[in-house]
Amino acid sequence: MATAKTGSFYLTETVTIPASSATGTRIQGVLDLGAYVNVATGQAVAVESVDIVIQAGGGFNQLGTNLFVGDGCISTQLTDLNPGTKFVRADNQSLIASGALNLDHTNNVLSHQADLYPDNFGPAALSEAFMVVNDSLYLVAGSDGAATGAGDIAVTARIKCRIAKLSAKDFMAIAIQSTASDN
């Protein structure tokens, strides 16, 4: 059973999709957890929730028509194993959070879909948190459907988490599950 070693705190990672990027562009960012995860003591990061914020241009506005030159979608995934600049399937054990923001440019309509958005693993119960025993998290964001607009698109993951102490058996089980999902 996990026990909390800290209260909740936030970690953030931002990736920037460059202006005028072609459809299918994928960008990856890496969040180093080396200071938080400790194999010898069974210390892990318990992810409680993940919010994804998408902002356009140098002014970081959220006006949908600034995102694409036509109909398009920005997809994001947060994983605890390195997928490179690819998305993983929803049944991949390393997937922590994902979401998509779709733009109907003609009608100026934004909608989100796919996964829980934001992902929320429970209010405070550590048993409902996503336990991370790897030393990095990977944020991948990409655009599809149309080229991006004239400004960069910043995609930020705000990760609410805490440090947790796991029993040796629990830590090993999570490590095996995490490693197995890489095969």
Side-chain angles (χ1 to χ4, degrees):
M1 174 150 198
T3 56
K5 297 310 239 180
T6 67
S8 297
F9 59 93
Y10 285 89
L11 298 172
T12 59
E13 178 64 25
T14 299
V15 296
T16 302
I17 302 171
S20 304
S21 292
T23 183
T25 298
R26 304 286 184 261
I27 306 294
Q28 182 189 60
V30 180
L31 182 62
D32 182 12
L33 299 179
Y36 308 107
V37 174
N38 186 324
V39 175
T41 62
Q43 187 170 289
V45 173
V47 176
E48 297 175 345
S49 65
V50 179
D51 293 312
I52 303 294
V53 180
I54 299 172
Q55 298 170 304
F60 304 112
N61 68 66
Q62 294 178 321
L63 182 62
T65 54
N66 291 349
L67 299 174
F68 294 101
V69 295
D71 295 347
C73 174
I74 295 176
S75 300
T76 60
Q77 289 187 338
L78 182 69
T79 62
D80 68 348
L81 291 176
N82 188 352
T85 56
K86 298 184 180 190
F87 290 129
V88 299
R89 217 170 63 182
D91 65 350
N92 189 305
Q93 294 292 325
S94 71
L95 182 62
I96 298 170
S98 66
L101 182 68
N102 289 285
L103 170 64
D104 175 349
H105 199 276
T106 306
N107 298 308
N108 195 23
V109 175
L110 286 172
S111 61
H112 58 81
Q113 66 179 31
D115 199 352
L116 298 172
Y117 190 88
D119 288 313
N120 189 338
F121 299 104
L126 283 178
S127 63
E128 297 177 11
F130 187 101
M131 295 293 177
V132 178
V133 298
N134 296 325
D135 59 359
S136 296
L137 293 179
Y138 303 90
L139 177 64
V140 176
S143 60
D144 290 300
T148 59
D152 293 345
I153 300 172
V155 180
T156 302
R158 292 184 39 83
I159 306 156
K160 184 179 180 184
C161 52
R162 62 175 72 192
I163 305 300
K165 169 95 169 80
L166 300 171
S167 70
K169 288 180 182 179
D170 288 343
F171 192 94
M172 184 60 71
I174 293 169
I176 289 169
Q177 175 181 314
S178 178
T179 304
S181 71
D182 195 24
N183 296 326

